[in-house]
Every structure is written in C-alpha cells, then in structure tokens.
Amino acid sequence: MSEGQLIYSAIGSSSQRVDIREKVDGSLKYFTDMKMDGMLYGVVFRSTVTHARIRSMDVTKAISMPGIRAVLTSRDIKGMNAYGVIVPDAPVLAYDKVRFYGEPLALIAGDTLEQAEAAKDGIKVDYEPLPVIRNIDEALKNDAPLIHNNGNIARSMKVERGDLARGFKDSYLVLDRDYRTHMQKHMFLETEAGLGYLDEKGVINIFVSGQGAHSYKGQITRALEIPPDKLRIVNYPEGGAFGGKDDVTIQILLTLLVMKTKKPVKLVLTREESGAGGYHRHASLIHLKTGVSKDGRFMANKAHILLDTGAYVSFGPSVLDTAMEVINGKYRIPNISVEGTLVYTNNGFSSAFRGFGAPQGNFAIENMVDELAYELKMDPIDFRLLNLLQEGEINSFGNPERDTMGAHVALTEAKGSRLWKISKKGSLPWIKVGLGVSFGVKGVGYGPVKDVSYAAVEVIPSGLVKAFFSNADYGQGINTGHLQIVAQKLGIPFENLRTVNADTAECPDTGSSDASRSTFTGGNALINACDQLIEVMKPEAARMMKVQPTEISYADGKFTFKEGSEVSIFDIASFMAKEGKGTKFIGSFEMPRVAKPIEGMIEAPRFSNAYGVLLSLVEVNELTGLVKAKAFDFYADIGKVINPLLALSQCESGLIQGLGYAITEELTYDVDGKPLNTNYTTYIVPSTTDIPSIDVRFVDAVEKYGPYGAKGVGEIPIVPVASSLTNAVHDAIGMRFRELPLSPPRVSSRMQQNKGISVLA
Amino acid sequence: MKISVNVNGRNVDADVEPRKLLVDFIRDDLHLTGTHVGCDTSSCGACTVLLDGVAVKSCTMFAVQANNRNITTIEGLSKGDELHRLQSAFIEEGGLQCGYCTPGMIMTSAWLLSNNAAPTEEEIRNGISGNLCRCTGYDSIIRSIQKASSDRRGGRK
C-alpha cells in the first residue's frame, strides 16, 4: 500500500464542490449559455400526429424561406439512421412511420431562431393515420395494431427458482394483487441543449447535454458514418439529467446539423419539446402473488412485471431487468417466478430515470410486504428483518448474498426513529395521520454485462494533478467526489487537483454517469491510475536520488529515501518531461459481477447493492384527498461516505423526486396520444412548501470492492418513497392504494367510494 | 424602441424590439448568461432578476418595461471578487447541485432578505416557493438562506 499519511482526511470530508463558485456567481457557461460568432440556430421539425405512416414529406418551400441554410431529412443521413443504447430501433429522423407525438422528422438551420422556427410552416407531411396504442393493455390485445413489424412485445424474460406451486400450497396466507405506476418526467431545469462546430482540423466538436460522452460518440459515428477521430463530445457542465440525458437525445441531430452546414449550430429544446420528445419513466403494471407462512416467512413469490417502453426500446431492457431484480426485495423466498414483459405503446419514449425500474418493482413488493405484515399482525420492520437475507445465503436469483449487513443495520436503526413516538392525532378532525415504512434496494453498476472503466491522472510540473474521467458531472458532484479519492490516494491537497470531465478528446472512457456506478467504477479506475503513477515514477525518483527503488517509499505527493531526502511528483514530472516521457497515466477498473448470471438478463443481478429504509409520516385530508408528507426519516447503506454533504444532498434530492413521483407528478396523454402536461405549469414538481422535514442517517458500512469502501448513492433514495407513502396512507385512513400517484382526485374518490358515495370517475 | 436601463450599476442605452423579452435582452444583448431560462411560463424562476430591488421573472417582462429602471442580475450581486453574503452562504452550506436554478434562487432570496432580515423557515419556504429546483430537494437551499440571514445578524448560527 502506498497510502498518504492523511488517512481518511479527504475521504469523509464535506469538500466544497469544485465548481461551486462559478455556480453562485453566474459565470459558469451551461450549454444553453454558449454562443459562437456566425452560429446558426437549429430547430427540430416534429410529428404532430402520434402513429402514422408517412406517405410523403415536402420540404422544398422551407428551403427557400428567408435565412434558411439547411433543411435536413432522413435522405441526408448516410449512416444507419438509427440509435438506441441497447437496440438501435429509433430513427434519427423518421422516414416511413412515426410512432409518437413529437418524433423528429426534419432539422432546420437558420440565421436566426425565429427564421428557423418560421420555416417549420414550409414543411408539409402527408400522413396515413394509424390507430394509437395508449397503454399496456391495448398493446397486448390480439388485434392490436403493430407499432413495430416484430410485434408489440419488445422483450420477454422469465426467471424461476424452487417449486412455486408447492410454495403457495404450503402458505398460510396468499395475497394476489395488481399494482400500477405512471409515467414521470425528469424535468431537469436545463432542457436538452448544445452547440456544435467544425474546427480547422475537420473535427466536429459537440458541446451537449449528456451523461456518457463516449457512448454518444459510438452511437453518432454509427448513425451518421463519421470517423471516430473526426468527432469530439463534451458533456459538462449541464443543468440536471437524472437519467433523462442518458441515452441519445439531441446529440446526433446536432452533429448532423454541423456536418451538413459546416457552421457552428446551437440547438436548444423548448420545455414543451423536451416534454413531448424527451424521455420519461416507464409506466408499469405488476401482478404480484405472494405467500407467507403463519410465522411470517416468505414461501413463494410470483410476479409478472409489464413496462410501457413507449415507441422505442432505449434503456427499456435494463429497466425491466432492474424491476425484476428488486421484486423479491432482498428477502429469503425459496420459490419464485418472475416474468418481465417490455411493451411498445405510442406513449412517447420511456428510458432511464433515477432508479431504473427499481421504484416500480419496489412499489409493488413493499406494498405487498406491508399488507402481509399487517394481516399477520406483525411489526412491519420485524417482518422485514425476519425475512432479510443474511450474508452467504443463496438469494432468489441463485447467488450467495454478500452485502446485506448494512440493510440489517438500517432496518434495526429505523426501529429507533423519532417518528414512532409522534402522536397520530390530527390537528383537525378530518386530518388523519399515518406512518409508513419501506425498504429499498438498488444495485450499483450494470450487473452481468462486462463493465470496464478507464480514467487518468496527469502530473503537471507546475504543481497540479489533473484527473480525467468521462462520466459526466450533471450536478451530483462527481467532479468533487472523484477528486477526493485522488487526494486521498496521492496525499495531495485538494487545491492542487483539477478535473477534466466528460470530454472525449481528453478523457478515457469511464462509461456513463448512471446506474449509481460513477463513484464505484470511476473512483476505482482513478485509484488504479494513481497506482500506475506511483509505479512508473518510483524508478524515476530513484534515478533522481541515485538510490534503489526499493529504498524509497511514496507518501503525500513525494518519494522519500530518508528524512530530508525526498523528491516530489512534480519534480519527477519535470525530470521525465525533459526526457520526453509522458506523465499522464490511464487506470482501469472492471466492475465485479455475480458468480451466476441469468441467461438473457443484461442489467441484473448486480454484485453490489445500496439499501435504504424510509419512514414517512403523512397527513391525509379527508375532505380534499390531499396527502401531505410531514416527515421523512431515511436510513441508508451507501457504503463508506466519500462526501457527507454531497451524499446528503443526493438523498434529499432523490427523496423529493420520489415525493413528486408519488403525489403530484404524472405525465398524461390525451386519447390521440398527445402529451397533455409538458411544462412546469401543468406538470407539478414539488416546490419548497411541499417538503417534509428530512432526516438522513448513513449506516456504518464498507463495500469491500468499492473505492475506500464506497458503493453509490444516486438512486437509492428515490426507490422506497412511493411505497413508504402508500403504506403511511394505509396507516392513516385504512385504505390501500395500489396505483400511483396519490393525487387528491384519486384519494378523495376512493374515500368517497369507501363511504358508499358514488362519484364520477 | 430605444431604452435606457441601469444594469448592475452600469448605464446601458439600447434599441430593442418592443416584443423582446427582458431575459433575452439580458442574455443575448448584454451577454449576462448567469440569468437562466428553465421555461417560458414564469413557472421555474431561473430567470429571476431584481428590478429596482424587487425580484421579477425576466421571462415574463418585456425589455421596454425596464426602461429607466435599475436591473440587478447575479453578475451584479457580488462586488468585484467579494461575493454577496447569500452567495457565500450557498457555498458554505452547499445549497445547490447542478446550479442552473441557483442564480434565480439567490436573486429571489436577496429580495426576501431585503424585506425581512431574519425570516423564519416558513417565511423562507414561502418566499422562494416560486423558484423551482429539481436537484436539491430544497433543504440545502433553505439552510443557505438561513445562514445568510444569521450572518447578517452578527454571525449567529
């Protein structure tokens, strides 16, 4: 080991974000803020129908309109004109068919934004309308129209273990339930945006929203037939992502505009375009049948999870796998059958969203768990603890469980929450108070898919160490967390460190900022890069000091022979540079995988998991149906906490996105498949007055394979929120809600039905 | 139309189209891009600036309506290298994630504190309820504003 003497001084400290000064003084240039001399404005011409065959498209009038430099259609694309991170099934520009409202059909570049917008009127499309598929049930009807030639089922998976029939037969109590969840929009404050230009070397530079620069590069070069060395992607800084900028959004469109016009082009989606054309969280329908013994042990669990992937697949298969992964919780269930079906509809385009299917699966299983515990008259936490897998036990997917200790601790600590002591007497007779529990699991990384990350460190003789990694910092603070890891490893003060983030020209491929993986994979790759730095510099230092390499040791940025005889890595870098040797070191890390993968599954089961227990205190207004969250107590195992302040911020962030998901947020489509609420006026995200008091505790846990013991924190907070709230509502008013969101109309109408009052649905 | 405005202490004369939004004037003509746009519907507050000391959403005003008035944007809040106490407090409390909403959030908070030097938590929540943040969950922002207000009262926490 070559640790610095500052053991755990960088790790575990709340270092300020490296870019915080520029964020508070307004000087940071986001993609929407960028401009260049002579730049054109790009706009996207989108379908105004939902499902139709394209008979013809005429752009001749648009081309001749004032200020118009280019009007591009599928005919201008040389490559495969398709994208999609897993299956390239989405056309960059549609040509034979449109499958959702707002699908891109053409691009316009104009001297001004106004001229480019006006030219949309010069494009005429002749559509042959097709019936619109609005939900999972319609898509699976025998006579349903096909959205793709290969049918409306994009993926089917089934995992079985044990003897399900026997498990149910031996059960004391079996519940059979259906759960439905809805579509959620990311609603990042900065919409998908970018600026691209062609440089003097013939390289197309694309500064654009995104989470995985190298991933886009691959997709763009494939879709447009551009040599990889003629394309550079930069994804930092940007105004939020949450998974909604994970797969390709505007990256290919912007590249095509620059390629064809050979001018700088700026492309920024309007809020409404982002709403209709951007991604959202999959709606789900989950059939769940679960059996328990009289003493509260799981006997069998049968699940069928159906997800609405919208018009194209994108991350759908991974999201489905993740929902399937969490449907058994982390419980000891000897007999299981988990089926997954990914369904095409005309509901826009579903993709990655913080939690990646785990919130949907969690909603079903944790509602079920709460109901089972209630029926068995068992304490909800004791029931979970009784069934929680111990390390070494074989889990539902056939692998030995390896890291549930933190989950045991989190559940046990939650028993001591302040919220158990709070009075459940409402402030008014019609205000009912309830407390709910949920236990969430979110795997870290990509599961059984081989995932090797690369990152680099470079020693600059003037006294800086630069860290290079391509997983984008879109606000979660990975620039800061990664530098803390480098600071720890090299024993270099934070102020001597810099990051170069999400730039394909300089950063090796660290993979994308998603799947709660950045800290784990990027952090470890940086540690490996630092190891290489030390290994290569050691003999150089020995040469400089005229001693044997075995006689010197590394600590705190320098190699020491004996007291007073030392040489810093900056002096060594200077020495090496004179001999023409490079001082940039690329490290790598391969994410560990489970011993027994499941055939066909690409995203699960995962090797490492983050856990979260959420207690929610709610007030339900019986007159209005308003559910108000009053307090959240969140106990999380995210492994060793690299930066407590940033980790807290991620938890508060995920909990509140979960609150919105559970109560106010719901993307809806009209009967013709047109999205109804795509801006902040109609799609209601939580504001300051909706926020409960939040208490976050990190349990003391260490992931053996994580960088300094860390796992990942990005997604786990959102996972248990909705189920915790529905369980709290049950505690308050005795009614189970198996469908989201818990909006006032839904809650009040159910309460009135319960009282025998008929209401118009 | 010709307008004359004072922006961050500097007099600016400009010729603008009557329909030009104040936010576009600030961002495109004055190149002050710290004022952001998150929507066009005055819902998100990322474009908040001070007009004669009062917080306004600059996407919901025309530039000509600012004629003969004083505009303060995030760039004008600090004095040279010296940050406004709200900006310092947002740094100390980590009151942001992506930072896109931050300038608007700080401008609204500046107006809030100018009206109420020591707001309660509830007054802060109500005061900034017209500014949306999708990243933080708001608590770190509330802590930042509390920090700034207690700093004003002599550094009390």
Side-chain angles (χ1 to χ4, degrees):
Chain A
M1 292 293 281
S2 48
E3 290 301 322
Q5 290 165 358
L6 320 157
I7 291 297
Y8 283 161
S9 61
I11 302 300
S13 78
S14 289
S15 303
Q16 284 162 358
R17 287 168 193 278
V18 296
D19 50 12
I20 198 162
R21 164 110 196 180
E22 293 74 24
K23 285 180 174 178
V24 301
D25 70 15
S27 63
L28 192 67
K29 297 289 180 209
Y30 294 83
F31 299 116
T32 41
D33 301 330
M34 295 178 72
K35 54 186 97 168
M36 281 181 86
D37 288 339
M39 84 184 177
L40 305 176
Y41 291 83
V43 298
V44 186
F45 178 83
R46 296 171 183 275
S47 69
T48 50
V49 298
T50 302
H51 194 198
R53 245 181 279 284
I54 302 168
R55 286 201 196 100
S56 65
M57 184 158 62
D58 182 2
V59 302
T60 44
K61 190 177 167 205
I63 294 169
S64 62
M65 287 174 77
I68 298 307
R69 301 300 187 100
V71 180
L72 307 174
T73 66
S74 62
R75 285 189 288 272
D76 296 289
I77 299 175
K78 246 201 298 176
M80 70 186 281
N81 184 22
Y83 70 98
V85 67
I86 295 170
V87 183
D89 63 348
V92 176
L93 293 172
Y95 48 96
D96 58 343
K97 218 183 153 178
V98 296
R99 297 178 178 88
F100 72 94
Y101 183 96
E103 183 160 4
L105 287 162
L107 294 167
I108 303 167
D111 288 334
T112 69
L113 183 58
E114 208 165 12
Q115 288 170 328
E117 282 289 342
K120 286 180 177 175
D121 290 340
I123 298 178
K124 293 279 168 283
V125 187
D126 183 15
Y127 295 110
E128 178 193 333
L130 296 167
V132 174
I133 293 182
R134 294 168 302 177
N135 54 50
I136 292 168
D137 309 77
E138 285 184 10
L140 295 179
K141 282 183 185 158
N142 285 333
D143 57 346
L146 299 185
I147 295 171
H148 292 267
N149 292 337
N150 55 349
N152 291 340
I153 294 179
R155 178 178 175 80
S156 295
M157 276 296 305
K158 194 166 188 178
V159 184
E160 290 179 300
R161 199 159 183 280
D163 182 343
L164 198 69
R166 179 71 186 267
F168 282 125
K169 191 164 159 278
D170 293 345
S171 293
Y172 165 75
L173 172 68
V174 176
L175 296 180
D176 198 341
R177 300 285 182 252
D178 285 352
Y179 301 92
R180 282 181 189 270
T181 66
H182 57 301
M183 290 172 263
Q184 182 184 26
K185 285 296 295 184
H186 306 81
M187 298 304 271
F188 21 71
L189 261 284
E190 185 188 39
T191 58
E192 299 86 343
L195 182 141
Y197 64 93
L198 186 67
D199 70 19
E200 62 283 357
K201 290 178 186 148
V203 175
I204 297 174
N205 293 259
I206 302 289
F207 290 74
V208 68
S209 314
Q211 300 178 220
H214 284 277
S215 166
Y216 306 128
K217 195 171 163 176
Q219 290 213 49
I220 297 168
T221 52
R222 183 177 64 182
L224 302 180
E225 276 190 11
I226 299 176
D229 61 346
K230 294 294 178 200
L231 185 63
R232 173 189 175 208
I233 307 291
V234 181
N235 290 149
Y236 170 85
E238 61 190 317
F242 320 117
K245 296 170 179 172
D246 203 351
D247 201 350
V248 164
T249 59
I250 62 165
Q251 293 84 358
I252 306 177
L253 301 176
L254 184 54
T255 308
L256 183 62
L257 280 163
V258 176
M259 215 175 135
K260 292 293 173 181
T261 62
K262 300 190 167 31
K263 298 262 187 199
V265 182
K266 184 166 179 176
L267 174 60
V268 178
L269 298 193
T270 64
R271 178 56 60 190
E272 286 72 16
E273 263 188 301
S274 175
Y279 298 118
H280 54 253
R281 186 188 300 287
H282 294 71
S284 76
L285 164 60
I286 300 180
H287 307 289
L288 194 62
K289 183 179 170 186
T290 311
V292 286
S293 68
K294 196 169 185 179
D295 63 351
R297 292 173 196 278
F298 282 106
M299 303 299 288
N301 196 33
K302 179 175 190 279
H304 186 190
I305 301 168
L306 299 107
L307 296 184
D308 173 357
T309 198
Y312 301 101
V313 161
S314 188
F315 273 101
S318 304
V319 172
L320 181 66
D321 284 1
T322 307
M324 292 173 69
E325 182 181 23
V326 305
I327 201 68
N328 298 307
K330 269 288 175 188
Y331 301 119
R332 185 184 307 105
I333 314 179
N335 309 297
I336 62 127
S337 166
V338 181
E339 195 179 348
T341 309
L342 190 66
V343 180
Y344 289 119
T345 70
N346 296 116
N347 291 330
F349 207 159
S350 302
S351 186
F353 193 147
R354 194 180 212 159
F356 237 79
Q360 293 95 321
N362 177 278
F363 181 69
I365 185 65
E366 287 298 304
N367 269 287
M368 174 65 88
V369 163
D370 197 74
E371 192 171 353
L372 289 167
Y374 183 82
E375 294 299 329
L376 293 169
K377 298 186 173 52
M378 287 180 71
D379 174 86
I381 291 186
D382 286 339
F383 178 69
R384 288 173 171 88
L385 275 169
L386 175 71
N387 287 289
L388 187 63
L389 287 158
Q390 301 283 348
E391 295 188 13
E393 280 189 275
I394 301 299
N395 62 28
S396 303
F397 286 166
N399 283 285
E401 197 52 55
R402 57 172 294 275
D403 68 347
T404 49
M405 187 52 78
H408 281 273
V409 176
L411 278 165
T412 306
E413 286 189 8
K415 291 178 76 163
S417 164
R418 62 185 171 137
L419 300 180
W420 297 108
K421 299 179 191 85
I422 285 179
S423 160
K424 291 199 185 157
K425 188 171 173 356
S427 54
L428 293 163
W430 52 87
I431 301 288
K432 303 296 177 194
V433 179
L435 181 60
V437 185
S438 175
F439 167 61
V441 185
K442 178 64 189 60
V444 175
Y446 297 150
V449 173
K450 186 171 181 177
D451 178 15
V452 184
S453 296
Y454 300 89
V457 288
E458 182 176 16
V459 186
I460 312 293
S462 62
L464 289 179
V465 174
K466 285 187 179 177
F468 302 79
F469 45 91
S470 71
N471 40 339
D473 187 336
Y474 42 74
Q476 81 283 51
I478 206 65
N479 271 327
T480 311
H482 274 8
L483 278 200
Q484 287 179 254
I485 287 170
V486 174
Q488 184 69 45
K489 180 69 196 175
L490 294 180
I492 302 270
F494 208 64
E495 52 271 24
N496 294 89
L497 301 174
R498 300 286 184 276
T499 61
V500 179
N501 183 219
D503 181 346
T504 59
E506 294 194 74
C507 306
D509 187 357
T510 326
S512 303
S513 283
D514 58 12
S516 301
R517 67 185 282 283
S518 274
T519 295
F520 205 122
T521 56
N524 272 322
L526 282 169
I527 288 174
N528 183 253
C530 293
D531 277 333
Q532 297 194 36
L533 178 158
I534 292 164
E535 193 184 316
V536 172
M537 282 195 158
K538 194 172 197 178
E540 303 287 349
R543 275 176 62 211
M544 287 173 76
M545 290 192 276
K546 299 185 172 44
V547 296
Q548 291 301 312
T550 48
E551 294 174 294
I552 58 175
S553 62
Y554 179 85
D556 297 345
K558 49 192 187 266
F559 290 92
T560 305
F561 171 53
K562 57 186 180 190
E563 189 71 28
S565 176
E566 58 189 35
V567 56
S568 82
I569 55 171
F570 307 108
D571 292 336
I572 302 167
S574 178
F575 177 74
M576 288 173 69
K578 279 180 199 135
E579 296 188 348
K581 293 176 181 164
T583 55
K584 185 173 178 178
F585 307 92
I586 296 177
S588 68
F589 175 71
E590 182 174 347
M591 186 73 189
R593 290 174 276 176
V594 295
K596 276 199 216 166
I598 288 164
E599 199 182 338
M601 265 194 157
I602 56 172
E603 189 81 9
R606 291 173 172 89
F607 180 80
S608 182
N609 293 280
Y611 300 100
V613 178
L614 180 62
L615 301 188
S616 299
L617 187 77
V618 302
E619 284 182 359
V620 184
N621 185 322
E622 288 193 307
L623 299 181
T624 62
L626 183 72
V627 176
K628 177 110 178 125
K630 300 300 288 182
F632 281 158
D633 270 14
F634 186 54
Y635 300 81
D637 167 13
I638 61 166
K640 175 76 185 174
V641 181
I642 303 279
N643 183 318
L645 184 61
L646 296 190
L648 171 65
S649 201
Q650 279 288 72
C651 288
E652 290 169 344
S653 169
L655 291 171
I656 297 314
Q657 264 179 9
L659 176 70
Y661 179 48
I663 297 180
T664 58
E665 298 180 32
E666 182 178 21
L667 173 65
T668 52
Y669 289 82
D670 70 11
V671 287
D672 298 319
K674 182 180 173 184
L676 285 170
N677 49 345
T678 53
N679 61 34
Y680 290 115
T681 314
T682 49
Y683 183 98
I684 308 302
V685 302
S687 84
T688 45
T689 51
D690 301 316
I691 308 305
S693 81
I694 301 172
D695 193 7
V696 175
R697 309 275 176 91
F698 297 112
V699 305
D700 200 7
V702 172
E703 162 59 70
K704 190 177 158 194
Y705 294 86
Y708 296 103
K711 292 181 178 177
V713 63
E715 297 173 287
I716 186 60
I718 202 171
V719 173
V721 181
S723 53
S724 175
L725 287 166
T726 47
N727 293 341
V729 168
H730 174 260
D731 188 48
I733 59 172
M735 296 176 67
R736 297 238 171 241
F737 285 83
R738 301 187 184 94
E739 189 168 355
L740 291 174
L742 288 164
S743 57
R746 168 167 291 124
V747 175
S748 63
S749 116
R750 275 280 306 280
M751 283 192 298
Q752 286 171 13
Q753 281 169 17
N754 216 31
K755 288 176 187 159
I757 303 167
S758 74
V759 282
L760 294 172
Chain B
M1 284 177 76
K2 294 207 183 307
I3 60 168
S4 179
V5 291
N6 182 289
V7 182
N8 299 332
R10 187 168 59 96
N11 289 317
V12 178
D13 295 310
D15 194 359
V16 297
E17 277 192 75
R19 60 181 176 164
K20 180 163 233 155
L21 295 175
L22 179 57
V23 69
D24 293 334
F25 175 65
I26 291 169
R27 286 174 56 81
D28 299 341
D29 296 7
L30 304 180
H31 309 292
L32 296 170
T33 54
T35 301
H36 294 144
V37 179
C39 66
D40 289 316
T41 47
S42 69
S43 309
C44 79
C47 65
T48 306
V49 299
L50 301 183
L51 191 69
D52 292 337
V54 176
V56 297
K57 292 179 175 177
S58 61
C59 76
T60 318
M61 276 190 74
F62 294 112
V64 293
Q65 291 176 285
N67 190 26
N68 293 324
R69 300 175 77 173
N70 295 300
I71 299 166
T72 310
T73 70
I74 189 71
E75 292 89 348
L77 206 57
S78 46
K79 301 272 177 286
D81 279 348
E82 194 191 332
L83 294 177
H84 185 274
R85 66 177 179 284
L86 269 164
Q87 292 171 311
S88 302
F90 269 69
I91 290 178
E92 285 164 39
E93 296 293 326
L96 57 86
Q97 285 216 344
C98 80
Y100 199 78
C101 74
T102 308
M105 204 61 92
I106 289 177
M107 299 316 285
T108 302
S109 307
W111 184 49
L112 173 72
L113 293 188
S114 72
N115 287 313
N116 181 354
T120 63
E121 183 181 331
E122 192 181 353
E123 285 167 341
I124 293 173
R125 286 190 185 274
N126 288 328
I128 62 166
S129 62
N131 288 68
L132 296 177
C133 170
R134 188 58 161 165
C135 291
T136 61
Y138 300 108
D139 274 9
S140 58
I141 295 171
I142 310 285
R143 291 192 289 271
S144 302
I145 299 167
Q146 286 173 324
K147 168 85 178 164
S149 68
S150 59
D151 274 359
R152 180 197 294 230
R153 283 175 290 162
R156 270 189 300 126
K157 195 69 174 157

